[in-house]
């Protein structure tokens, strides 16, 4: 009897886990706003975790009945309030027959069964233990701790290989009149192969059929299976309505793919897909989009991105990245975010990296595909074919002394302008001492840079070089105290001295060098420029101070403040592109502040003040708030003189347990235009949820916008239909 009930439980549980996905829009909403109030749904709760069934092999079986005739050769009978207990299993019926010779059990009347994971009500059960076959009629079933339930006219068990259910109905709605239901005329489960098939399946929402499939297959365990996934639907102002029907291809245990035909009413038919492969030492991913005949363009259009990682030997790894697109406006037409539509170039590289205790070696070749038409050919980034980078740092025991090396050998290539190779060597020797009260680290380095250029007939030196010394001393102190409220506060002054003699470098090319954005970390950097084409001169002292306040109980930081600036002992003579010398005595004054007022609220602010111009060069301000009821909001403002002046406001507001609002506004004062505008509304019931989001975002430099509508219907415990919008908060 135990085997019969266990088989029935496994079958129905497999039906639930296989047909029904676990995509719940409310779960995604929890990412938007944590602590959201739970729906007041009828018990049992929709998302209660299912407990693991206990072991039943050695558990005793206990049967209670008003009368019991065990029977040795003839049929045994148990009658009158028959109850069977074994571990977590419970069976109740009025009459049970058992044939000892044939090991056939018959329950002619109504029965009830439940365990830790399943409950069943049915009638007229017949099961053959020897043949492991049986039939059960008129059953209702459900999962313990879940509102998932359904019914079937009958179930047939055919050994341990397969089972069949007839006239199946399923829903996760707890109401007597469910908002949605899935019905199928016949459902076959092949337990040996791990798949099932349904015939004449129909999905209804409030009595309206929204999906019909005469036949489809699906997995019933962890084994993946090829087949169609749920379709999606979307709409944008420039591409029209988009309909896609993805197909999943289970190629091998370590390989799979998704092939997704996508039809745009304004563009035509596009084929998209993704291929994945994973081995013990490698992983790979290929994404592609192909549109053979764009109605707005006579040419075919495509995008593909290939990524491959490997670890062929211990301490060594490889990376291959190829990202290419057919034309400059592909992402403007098909991109799904302002990030994609604002891309200037696509990056491709092949890299080999090795690392040991004291060294790191990297060999690569990379290239760029420029897709921003505003980037002139003479301003395009160089290809590096190849680039070798060797870094080493070797301490001399516990003396504090050590040596380091940063070196690079690279060849720059481009169709327009000067090309050639460069070698850059930066060996150094240092002494460092760290203690509870602070640290000190003097360092002396020597930088040598040389070029081998293809001057292409230009009147320039084809083998210029540069050599110069670099000396720095980095030091800091740490003070701390216990405040009256028990919190710990630190005071950490830091002094950094840097000396680099001036050398005229106008004869050196500019391959990959630009002036770095000034920030707090720049106070302690030996070079104002990225790359090796320019080494800034310096005779300066950076003075900074940090103070932090820590909670005595949790150790979390309550607030932190960083402030500092550079005092120039002489003018900065080296500049890019014949700019005048920087003759100011002080750098901008930098201040950064972070405040963690509570687990629900935090604020951050930063500014750079120019003493000479008496103006703010850079400022930023942001606040974030998360309430217990799921309300979440953030505001960020960013300003950089003559470059950026914009704010970003995001909010997610649970109006009540069923309704939620969301919005985002990203506006640029510098350009006097809206960068992105988003608004949406969600409704959630105990068995379904609906999200509608409208987005408008800038798609190119000409000021054109894309308007999109994203509609997602989630039938809890089954699937999501539509196009999912992106999360406001990551």
């Amino acid at each position: 009897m135990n085997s019969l009930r266990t088989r029935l439980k496994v079958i129905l549980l497999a039906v639930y886990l296989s047909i029904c996905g676990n995509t719940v829009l409310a779960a995604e909403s929890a990412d938007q706003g944590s602590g959201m109030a739970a729906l007041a749904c009828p018990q049992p709760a929709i998302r209660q975790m299912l407990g693991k069934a206990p072991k039943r092999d050695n558990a005793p079986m206990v049967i209670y009945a008003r009368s019991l005739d065990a029977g040795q050769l003839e049929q045994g009978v148990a009658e009158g309030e028959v109850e069977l207990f074994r571990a977590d299993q419970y069976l109740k019926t009025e009459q049970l027959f058992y044939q000892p010779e044939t090991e056939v059990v018959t329950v002619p009347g109504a029965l009830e069964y439940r365990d830790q994971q399943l409950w069943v009500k049915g009638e007229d059960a017949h099961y053959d233990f020897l043949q492991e076959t049986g039939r059960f009629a008129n059953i209702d079933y459900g999962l313990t701790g879940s509102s998932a339930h359904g019914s079937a006219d009958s179930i047939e068990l055919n050994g341990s290989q397969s089972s069949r259910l007839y006239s199946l109905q399923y829903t996760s709605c707890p109401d007597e009149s469910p908002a949605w239901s899935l019905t199928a005329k016949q459902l076959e489960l092949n337990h040996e192969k791990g798949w099932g098939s349904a015939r004449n399946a129909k999905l209804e929402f409030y009595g309206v059929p929204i999906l019909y499939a005469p036949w489809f297959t699906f997995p019933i365990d962890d084994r993946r299976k090829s087949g169609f996934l749920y379709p999606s639907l979307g709409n944008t102002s420039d591409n029209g309505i988009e309909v896609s029907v993805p197909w999943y291809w289970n190629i091998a245990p370590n390989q799979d793919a998704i092939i997704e035909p996508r039809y745009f009413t304004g563009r035509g038919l596009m084929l998209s897909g993704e291929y994945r492969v994973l081995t013990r030492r490698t992983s790979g991913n290929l994404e592609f989009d192909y549109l053979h005949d764009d109605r707005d363009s006579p040419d075919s259009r495509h995008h593909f991105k290939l990524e491959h990682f490997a670890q062929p030997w211990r301490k060594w790894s490889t990376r291959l990245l190829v990202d290419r697109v057919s034309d400059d406006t592909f992402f403007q037409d098909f991109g799904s975010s302002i990030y994609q539509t604002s891309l200037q170039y696509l990056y491709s590289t092949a890299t080999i990296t090795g690392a040991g205790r004291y060294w790191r070696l990297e060999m690569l070749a990379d290239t760029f595909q420029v897709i921003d038409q505003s980037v002139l050919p003479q301003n395009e980034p160089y290809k590096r074919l190849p680039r070798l980078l060797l870094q080493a740092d070797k301490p001399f025991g516990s003396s504090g002394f050590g040596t380091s090396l940063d070196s690079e050998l690279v060849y720059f290539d481009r169709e327009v302008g000067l090309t050639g190779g460069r070698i850059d060597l930066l060996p150094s020797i240092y002494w460092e001492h760290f203690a509870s009260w602070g640290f000190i680290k003097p360092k002396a380095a020597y930088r040598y840079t040389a070029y081998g250029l293809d001057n292409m007939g230009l009147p320039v030196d084809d083998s210029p070089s540069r050599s110069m010394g670099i000396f720095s001393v980095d030091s800091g102190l740490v003070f701390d105290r216990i405040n009256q409220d028990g919190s710990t506060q630190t005071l950490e002054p830091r002094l950094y001295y840097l000396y680099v003699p001036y050398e005229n470098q106008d004869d050196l090319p500019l391959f990959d060098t630009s002036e770095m954005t000034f920030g707090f970390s720049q106070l302690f950097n030996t070079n104002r420029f990225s790359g090796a084409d320019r080494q800034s001169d310096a005779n300066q002292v950076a003075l900074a101070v940090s103070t932090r306040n820590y909670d005595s109980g949790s150790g979390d930081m309550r607030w932190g403040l960083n402030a500092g600036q550079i005092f120039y002992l002489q003018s900065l003579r080296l500049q890019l592109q014949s700019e005048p010398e920087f003759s100011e005595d002080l750098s901008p004054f930098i201040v950064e502040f972070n405040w963690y007022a509570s687990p629900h609220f935090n604020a951050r602010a930063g500014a750079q003040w120019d003493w000479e111009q008496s103006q703010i060069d850079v400022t930023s301000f942001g606040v974030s708030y998360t309430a217990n009821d799921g309300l979440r909001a953030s505001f960020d403002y960013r300003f950089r003189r003559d470059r950026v002046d914009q704010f970003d406001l995001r909010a997610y507001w649970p109006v009540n347990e069923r309704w939620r609002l969301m919005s985002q506004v990203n506006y640029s004062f510098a350009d006097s235009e809206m960068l992105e505008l988003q608004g949406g509304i969600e409704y959630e019931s105990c068995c379904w949820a609906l999200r509608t989001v409208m987005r408008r975002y800038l798609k190119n430099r000409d000021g054109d916008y894309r308007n999109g509508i994203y509609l997602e219907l989630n039938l809890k415990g089954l699937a999501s239909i539509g196009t999912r919008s992106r999360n406001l908060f990551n």
Side-chain angles (χ1 to χ4, degrees):
M1 192 64 194
N2 172 65
S3 176
L4 180 152
R5 296 300 147 224
T6 302
R7 287 291 307 281
L8 183 59
K9 177 188 74 67
V10 170
I11 293 168
L12 295 176
L13 184 59
V15 173
Y16 172 75
L17 294 178
S18 57
I19 298 182
C20 313
N22 57 0
T23 305
V24 180
L25 191 147
E28 182 185 343
S29 300
D31 294 334
Q32 306 276 17
S34 60
M36 182 170 23
L39 283 169
C41 296
Q43 293 296 321
I46 291 177
R47 286 173 286 178
Q48 180 177 335
M49 295 291 292
L50 296 181
K52 186 177 181 180
K55 294 184 178 180
R56 301 162 181 159
D57 296 341
N58 299 321
M61 181 183 297
V62 179
I63 298 179
Y64 295 96
R66 289 190 175 276
S67 64
L68 178 63
D69 183 0
Q72 295 182 355
L73 299 176
E74 299 181 354
Q75 179 173 264
V77 181
E79 294 182 305
E81 300 180 6
V82 180
E83 292 182 306
L84 183 149
F85 296 89
R86 184 176 186 183
D88 64 318
Q89 297 174 300
Y90 172 74
L91 172 67
K92 181 180 179 181
T93 185
E94 283 298 317
Q95 191 176 45
L96 183 148
F97 296 95
Y98 175 68
Q99 291 283 354
E101 290 186 354
T102 60
E103 296 190 16
V104 174
V105 169
T106 302
V107 179
L111 62 91
E112 295 181 15
Y113 171 83
R114 67 173 182 267
D115 60 25
Q116 193 168 335
Q117 295 180 320
L118 179 77
W119 62 262
V120 174
K121 293 182 180 180
E123 57 185 51
D124 192 19
H126 182 84
Y127 187 77
D128 188 329
F129 280 90
L130 295 179
Q131 301 297 325
E132 294 188 351
T133 60
R135 182 180 180 88
F136 311 91
N138 299 327
I139 69 164
D140 295 321
Y141 66 91
L143 294 183
T144 304
S146 171
S147 57
H149 63 279
S151 63
D153 285 355
S154 62
I155 295 179
E156 291 182 356
L157 306 180
N158 301 311
S160 60
Q161 288 77 30
S162 65
S163 309
R164 283 194 180 95
L165 291 83
Y166 297 92
S167 299
L168 174 74
Q169 185 269 341
Y170 165 80
T171 185
S172 68
C173 299
D175 307 323
E176 293 184 1
S177 300
W180 67 267
S181 63
L182 176 69
T183 61
K185 186 175 181 180
Q186 180 179 316
L187 185 70
E188 181 177 356
L189 306 176
N190 191 312
H191 306 284
E192 185 177 10
K193 296 182 178 180
W195 59 266
S197 63
R199 298 183 183 275
N200 296 332
K202 181 174 64 173
L203 177 63
E204 293 185 350
F205 184 64
Y206 281 104
V208 178
I210 60 175
L211 186 65
Y212 174 77
W215 180 80
F216 70 92
T217 63
F218 52 89
I220 62 174
D221 53 26
D222 293 339
R223 288 175 285 183
R224 305 189 307 269
K225 186 184 185 302
S226 302
F228 285 100
L229 305 178
Y230 289 97
S232 64
L233 178 69
N235 181 52
T236 58
S237 57
D238 49 353
N239 292 337
I241 298 175
E242 176 189 353
V243 180
S244 64
V245 183
W247 184 69
Y248 178 77
W249 182 14
N250 180 33
I251 304 173
N254 67 327
Q255 300 180 61
D256 63 0
I258 291 180
I259 310 297
E260 184 176 10
R262 303 163 61 191
Y263 180 75
F264 300 88
T265 57
R267 297 283 183 178
L269 182 63
M270 172 182 284
L271 182 64
S272 300
E274 180 180 7
Y275 167 75
R276 301 182 303 175
V277 60
L278 178 66
T279 68
R280 188 172 64 91
R281 292 183 176 271
T282 66
S283 64
N285 189 80
L286 171 64
E287 302 174 16
F288 67 89
D289 303 283
Y290 178 74
L291 180 62
H292 177 68
D293 185 14
D294 189 345
R295 294 174 183 173
D296 287 351
S297 173
D299 301 324
S300 62
R301 310 183 70 182
H302 67 266
H303 166 247
F304 68 91
K305 182 178 180 180
L306 170 65
E307 274 191 286
H308 187 270
F309 300 89
Q311 191 173 10
W313 313 282
R314 184 173 175 267
K315 298 183 180 181
W316 289 89
S317 63
T318 64
R319 181 194 181 203
L320 175 65
L321 171 63
V322 181
D323 197 0
R324 282 293 182 264
V325 72
S326 59
D327 55 88
D328 296 344
T329 61
F330 184 90
F331 288 114
Q332 297 178 20
D333 293 335
F334 300 104
S336 60
S337 66
I338 193 172
Y339 166 76
Q340 285 188 319
T341 60
S342 61
L343 284 173
Q344 288 190 302
Y345 56 81
L346 301 179
Y347 178 67
S348 300
T349 181
T351 307
I352 301 176
T353 304
R357 184 175 182 182
Y358 302 116
W359 61 273
R360 180 178 181 272
L361 176 65
E362 181 179 84
M363 299 171 285
L364 68 82
D366 58 11
T367 182
F368 302 85
Q369 181 185 7
V370 179
I371 57 175
D372 187 342
Q373 298 176 357
S374 66
V375 178
L376 300 177
Q378 60 269 28
N379 295 329
E380 293 183 2
Y382 279 89
K383 305 172 185 177
R384 296 181 293 184
L385 305 170
R387 177 179 185 247
L388 277 72
L389 177 68
L390 174 62
Q391 297 172 315
D393 192 326
K394 180 67 171 68
F396 297 150
S398 59
S399 64
F401 285 97
T403 60
S404 64
L405 173 67
D406 287 317
S407 60
E408 180 190 42
L409 177 63
V410 57
Y411 185 85
F412 296 96
D413 190 24
R414 195 173 65 183
E415 295 181 0
V416 178
L418 196 67
T419 62
R422 181 186 72 197
I423 184 171
D424 181 57
L425 302 174
L426 183 61
S428 64
I429 184 171
Y430 61 85
W431 177 79
E432 59 185 6
H433 178 73
F434 292 91
S436 59
W437 50 263
F439 71 95
I440 184 170
K441 183 177 180 179
K443 184 176 183 179
Y446 178 80
R447 187 164 204 174
Y448 174 77
T449 309
Y451 296 82
L453 303 177
D454 181 2
N455 55 25
M456 303 179 67
L458 299 175
V460 297
D461 185 3
D462 60 359
S463 57
S465 64
R466 174 197 64 206
S467 59
M468 57 203 316
I470 302 172
F471 177 74
S472 65
V473 179
D474 194 4
S475 61
L477 297 173
V478 179
F479 303 93
D480 61 73
R481 70 176 185 180
I482 305 298
N483 297 324
Q484 292 183 353
D485 61 357
S487 63
T488 300
Q489 185 171 346
T490 67
L491 181 65
E492 306 165 45
R494 184 176 179 183
L495 186 143
Y496 181 79
Y497 174 73
L498 174 66
Y499 177 77
V500 184
Y502 169 77
E503 181 175 335
N504 190 310
Q505 302 170 44
D506 292 342
D507 60 336
L508 304 183
L510 287 172
F511 287 134
D512 61 351
T513 294
S514 62
E515 189 165 6
M516 290 192 287
T517 301
F518 189 69
F520 192 79
S521 62
Q522 279 295 97
L523 299 177
F524 318 104
N525 205 327
T526 59
N527 195 2
R528 295 184 292 116
F529 305 104
S530 64
D533 297 321
R534 295 293 185 270
Q535 171 61 58
S536 60
D537 58 312
N539 186 9
Q540 62 193 43
V541 175
L543 182 61
V545 62
S546 299
T547 179
R548 300 175 178 87
N549 186 275
Y550 295 92
D551 183 88
S552 58
S554 64
D556 295 333
M557 187 174 70
R558 292 178 174 178
W559 55 265
L561 175 68
N562 300 319
Q565 71 177 118
I566 299 175
F567 297 84
Y568 298 108
L569 305 182
Q570 66 183 41
S571 300
L572 300 178
R573 300 178 59 185
L574 186 69
Q575 301 295 331
L576 293 179
Q577 300 175 346
S578 302
E579 295 180 357
E581 294 183 3
F582 185 85
S583 58
E584 299 179 3
D585 297 329
L586 302 172
S587 73
F589 179 76
I590 300 177
V591 60
E592 298 175 346
F593 178 71
N594 289 280
W595 180 32
Y596 304 93
S598 72
H600 303 288
F601 178 83
N602 67 80
R604 57 266 175 204
Q608 295 182 22
W609 174 261
D610 190 327
W611 296 105
E612 297 292 333
Q613 301 295 327
S614 297
Q615 64 183 12
I616 292 178
D617 286 340
V618 178
T619 186
S620 63
F621 172 76
V623 293
S624 296
Y625 176 73
T626 303
N628 289 328
D629 63 355
L631 172 65
R632 188 169 181 180
S634 70
F635 175 83
D636 286 281
Y637 174 75
R638 298 174 294 276
F639 171 81
R640 183 173 295 275
R641 185 165 301 280
D642 301 326
R643 292 180 61 185
V644 177
D645 188 7
Q646 60 182 242
F647 76 87
D648 185 272
L649 174 65
R650 306 180 186 213
Y652 185 84
W653 178 31
V655 180
N656 53 43
E657 64 178 13
R658 292 182 180 269
W659 291 94
R660 304 177 190 94
L661 302 177
M662 65 187 71
S663 64
Q664 178 191 2
V665 179
N666 190 352
Y667 185 83
S668 172
F669 294 106
D671 303 307
S672 298
E673 63 182 358
M674 189 73 65
L675 300 180
E676 185 168 10
L677 181 65
Q678 181 177 192
I681 186 171
E682 286 182 0
Y683 172 80
E684 181 184 6
S685 71
C686 293
C687 65
W688 65 277
L690 178 69
R691 172 186 291 176
T692 303
V693 176
M694 291 177 288
R695 287 182 62 200
R696 175 179 172 86
Y697 58 93
L698 197 65
K699 74 170 190 174
N700 56 37
R701 294 180 179 270
D702 298 329
D704 297 329
Y705 286 87
R706 170 170 291 127
N707 301 318
I709 299 178
Y710 303 87
L711 181 68
E712 181 183 6
L713 173 64
N714 177 267
L715 307 179
K716 294 184 178 182
L718 185 66
S720 291
I721 301 174
T723 302
R724 175 175 298 181
S725 62
R726 67 184 184 90
N727 286 341
L728 284 179
F729 301 95
N730 296 318

